[in-house]
Amino acid sequence: NVVPENFDSLFDSILQSSSLSLAGLEQAVMVHSAGSLGDITKYCKEICDPETIRDCFDVNVVGAILINSAFLKTFHEAAIKKIIVNVSSLAALQPFKSWSLYCSGL
């Protein structure tokens, strides 16, 4: 399960561990392409467990939203250019057999 508290200070920790400050930045860029295929051994008609569905959507949808939110909160007051690149996959455009959870979360 995705834990929102894990995102709260993520970028503050990154800045601190890298000895960076907001004042020294011209722009902040985040590129992410994390995700989970989920259980691709089953077709959609065989996926009946709500927990399995929630787990996949927590990572692929909720996780992406929370990391974007944390990024924007961290750099909100900085007068810098902010760029977020969400990398997706071909599965966002073309369905694959037994990838129903992954494809629907893109």
Side-chain angles (χ1 to χ4, degrees), residues 72-92:
L72 293 170
K73 283 179 187 174
T74 300
F75 298 101
H76 172 71
E77 294 185 21
I80 60 173
K81 184 174 185 177
K82 299 157 209 54
I83 300 170
I84 297 175
V85 179
N86 296 305
V87 179
S88 187
S89 73
L90 180 60

Side-chain angles (χ1 to χ4, degrees), residues 19-31:
S19 300
L20 296 171
S21 71
L22 292 178
L25 300 178
E26 293 180 19
Q27 67 180 0
V29 179
M30 178 180 64
V31 179

Side-chain angles (χ1 to χ4, degrees), residues 4-72:
E5 294 78 29
N6 291 345
F7 294 88
D8 287 345
S9 61
L10 176 65
F11 292 99
D12 291 329
S13 297
I14 292 170
L15 288 169
Q16 185 177 22
S17 67
S18 302
S19 300
L20 296 171
S21 71
L22 292 178
L25 300 178
E26 293 180 19
Q27 67 180 0
V29 179
M30 178 180 64
V31 179
H32 61 85
S33 177
S36 170
L37 291 176
D39 184 355
I40 59 171
T41 65
K42 295 180 180 169
Y43 291 98
C44 187
K45 66 182 179 184
E46 301 169 299
I47 301 170
C48 303
D49 176 34
E51 192 63 31
T52 299
I53 297 166
R54 275 189 216 100
D55 287 347
C56 191
F57 276 76
D58 271 359
V59 171
N60 296 340
V61 179
V62 177
I65 292 168
L66 289 174
I67 200 164
N68 287 341
S69 177
F71 177 84
L72 293 170

